[in-house]
Amino acid sequence: MTESSRRRRMLILAICCMSLLIVSLDVTVLNVALPSMRRELDASVSGMQWTIDAYTLVLASLLMLAGSTADRIGRRRVFAAGLVLFTAGSLLCSLAPTLEWLIAFRMVQAVGGSMLNPVAMSVITNTFTDPRERARAIGVWGAVVGISMAVGPLIGGLLVESVGWRSIFWINLPVGLVAFALTLRFVPESRAAHPRRPDPVGQLLVMALLGSVTYGIIEAPSAGWSSPVILGCTALAVASLAGLLFYEPRRAEPLIDPRFFRSAPFSGATVIAISAFAALSGFLFLNTLYLQDVRGLSALDAGLYMLPMALLTFLCAPLSGRLVGNRGPRPSLLIAGTAMAASGVLFAAFSAQTSTPLLFTAYVLFGLGFGMVNAPITNTAVSGMPRSQAGVAAAVASTSRQTGGTLGVAVIGAVLAAGTAGGADFVEATRPAWWIITGCGLLALIVGAATSGRWAMGTATRTARRLERTATVSSQSAGAPPRG
């Protein structure tokens, strides 16, 4: 490999990481700004949930479509379009006059964001073909999440206090514009050898399922679990899930390929991603409100309080990538599940909020766990899959993360709303929520242990071979020469 080729690959990785940075930074910065936004826009707890979940819901709904579209019409083209749309959505969010407009503009952001992460991961997969190098590149990718967690609360707190909450969206503008210019200059175009056909029915079913579940969970505390609206959401969710299970296996090229889930590590990575990101979103949501509304800290001081968690995530993510490259995903997954569960127990059983030493210990443990979890689930999702389906495989992993984030805010916010409505103080009202976060950590631990052994890796090898054979036959039948 020439030095110029190595530099070009590192530059492509940097561009992909820039896209992840603005998407991840947007979430951590927004969490710190929630109390200020709630006061200015006169929003309820459910309104604050929607400022987060409107984004993650649209993101989760469109990631699969974006991944398959990029494989079909060109990854660089879709990636560049996503940067433009996300940047424009950020500008609109900063100008939102009401909560309703802010939620709408967050959805515009999400449409652009859906074109970034899975497509960037597909670009990385096609750029770094050596498994060990790819694992390390994914470790760097995961470290970007840590960077966003480390600087997000600090930058957000500083901007909220000095300029106002609207300025938190301005930081996406220069990064988005620079990443767009570099993408046009350095990222090569690539497509799948046999791109998948659109699946509009599957796409609508996914959107109906995620939307009905999220709306039902968020609005149930105020509307009532037995209200016609919530019962209707439940019926729609059940019908959408049944439709997916019936319709998708019968399509030659489904939106969600059921064959991926014959790989135990891939299925496990999907479950772990949902659990870990549900825990993260719930963790950030509860701590942001507690530190500012209960302890009375400023936005900047709240960001400083959560710095231990962010720093551990930042330090552990690249270490986890190297560990996955050298030892496989099992050690990282076991450490991650154990640490996140232990952090949840400190809050649920020992009221860590009431003791600063316990609070910081819980932050360190959660940062350690979350820092270790991202690399193995990402690497497992794309490793062994045919390069022609890299976009779809990466999109499944990204969808799992965003689905987890959406459900985490919805469920934890609903528990908080129900607890405070009953007259309990914040610590008591959130105790059930912390047990849920503990359960997410335990689920990640158990599933990680079960899907990373010798038997599980055997299922991954067999699944990859079947997919490769199918992709080769389909490409030959279509008469298309393989491309990137």
Side-chain angles (χ1 to χ4, degrees):
M1 182 190 306
T2 64
E3 185 63 25
S4 61
S5 175
R6 186 184 302 275
R7 289 178 179 175
R8 188 180 185 88
R9 296 201 308 170
M10 291 299 105
L11 184 57
I12 291 173
L13 176 61
I15 296 169
C16 293
C17 287
M18 290 171 70
S19 72
L20 177 63
L21 178 63
I22 57 177
V23 173
S24 301
L25 196 63
D26 196 68
V27 175
T28 54
V29 170
L30 183 65
N31 269 278
V32 174
L34 284 178
S36 178
M37 294 166 61
R38 183 170 66 177
R39 288 189 294 270
E40 181 175 329
L41 300 176
D42 192 26
S44 62
V45 172
S46 64
M48 290 299 92
Q49 288 174 270
W50 278 118
T51 62
I52 298 175
D53 271 358
Y55 176 83
T56 55
L57 177 60
V58 173
L59 200 63
S61 299
L62 297 181
L63 283 168
M64 296 295 301
L65 176 63
S68 59
T69 301
D71 284 345
R72 183 169 56 257
I73 70 173
R75 292 162 184 144
R76 184 181 70 169
R77 181 180 301 176
V78 172
F79 186 72
L83 287 169
V84 171
L85 199 54
F86 186 87
T87 305
S90 299
L91 178 61
L92 291 173
C93 285
S94 71
L95 303 174
T98 64
L99 178 67
E100 290 75 18
W101 278 111
L102 176 61
I103 292 172
F105 293 148
R106 288 280 289 165
M107 296 171 75
V108 174
Q109 265 191 309
V111 175
S114 69
M115 303 178 187
L116 297 181
N117 286 6
V119 181
M121 182 53 61
S122 179
V123 171
I124 290 174
T125 303
N126 282 271
T127 301
F128 295 87
T129 55
D130 178 75
R132 185 166 293 188
E133 286 189 354
R134 182 175 58 232
R136 291 174 178 172
I138 290 173
V140 175
W141 168 270
V144 174
V145 178
I147 294 173
S148 71
M149 291 181 64
V151 304
L154 298 179
I155 294 176
L158 184 61
L159 289 174
V160 169
E161 288 191 18
S162 60
V163 184
W165 65 263
R166 297 178 186 277
S167 62
I168 65 174
F169 296 104
W170 297 346
I171 57 179
N172 296 329
L173 305 185
V175 179
L177 292 174
V178 171
F180 175 74
L182 293 176
T183 297
L184 297 182
R185 175 67 179 84
F186 293 105
V187 176
E189 186 61 279
S190 64
R191 298 178 179 86
H194 180 63
R196 306 162 73 82
R197 290 190 294 269
D199 181 9
V201 174
Q203 182 65 54
L204 289 174
L205 288 172
V206 168
M207 294 174 68
L209 174 61
L210 294 178
S212 58
V213 169
T214 303
Y215 186 89
I217 293 174
I218 289 178
E219 298 299 331
S222 58
W225 289 98
S226 59
S227 67
V229 172
I230 303 305
L231 292 178
C233 287
T234 303
L236 179 58
V238 172
S240 300
L241 178 60
L244 281 171
L245 295 176
F246 176 80
Y247 178 78
E248 291 296 282
R250 289 165 173 77
R251 275 187 61 87
E253 293 179 331
L255 178 72
I256 302 175
D257 195 333
R259 295 174 300 172
F260 285 178
F261 296 95
R262 294 175 184 174
S263 164
F266 186 90
S267 299
T270 301
V271 173
I272 294 168
I274 293 173
S275 301
F277 278 77
L280 172 68
S281 61
F283 192 99
L284 292 175
F285 189 79
L286 290 178
N287 275 288
T288 297
L289 295 178
Y290 171 75
L291 292 173
Q292 295 189 56
D293 288 352
V294 179
R295 286 208 172 191
L297 299 179
S298 67
L300 179 58
D301 288 340
L304 289 171
Y305 255 69
M306 290 191 287
L307 189 58
M309 177 187 68
L311 287 177
L312 261 294
T313 299
F314 170 64
L315 294 173
C316 292
L319 294 177
S320 180
R322 289 185 174 273
L323 188 60
V324 171
N326 295 327
R327 301 287 299 276
R330 189 180 186 87
S332 293
L333 291 175
L334 297 183
I335 294 171
T338 301
M340 286 192 293
S343 175
V345 167
L346 288 181
F347 284 103
F350 299 98
S351 301
Q353 304 98 313
T354 61
S355 168
T356 299
L358 273 183
L359 185 68
F360 285 139
T361 301
Y363 285 172
V364 167
L365 284 172
F366 195 89
L368 167 65
F370 189 75
M372 297 297 292
V373 80
N374 212 30
I377 59 179
T378 303
N379 191 65
T380 301
V382 299
S383 295
M385 296 296 173
R387 291 173 61 190
S388 62
Q389 298 189 28
V392 178
V396 173
S398 296
T399 300
S400 302
R401 291 185 180 87
Q402 299 304 327
T403 300
T406 301
L407 293 177
V409 172
V411 172
I412 298 304
V415 171
L416 173 62
T420 54
D425 63 28
F426 191 92
V427 173
E428 289 302 318
T430 57
R431 198 177 298 278
W434 285 114
W435 282 119
I436 293 173
I437 292 174
T438 301
C440 289
L442 290 174
L443 182 61
L445 172 63
I446 295 169
V447 174
T451 60
S452 58
R454 182 174 299 179
W455 165 82
M457 300 311 293
T459 66
T461 301
R462 291 190 294 273
T463 299
R465 288 174 181 168
R466 293 191 191 102
L467 290 171
E468 190 65 59
R469 284 197 298 268
T470 303
T472 301
V473 171
S474 298
S475 179
Q476 291 174 349
S477 300
R483 290 176 291 178

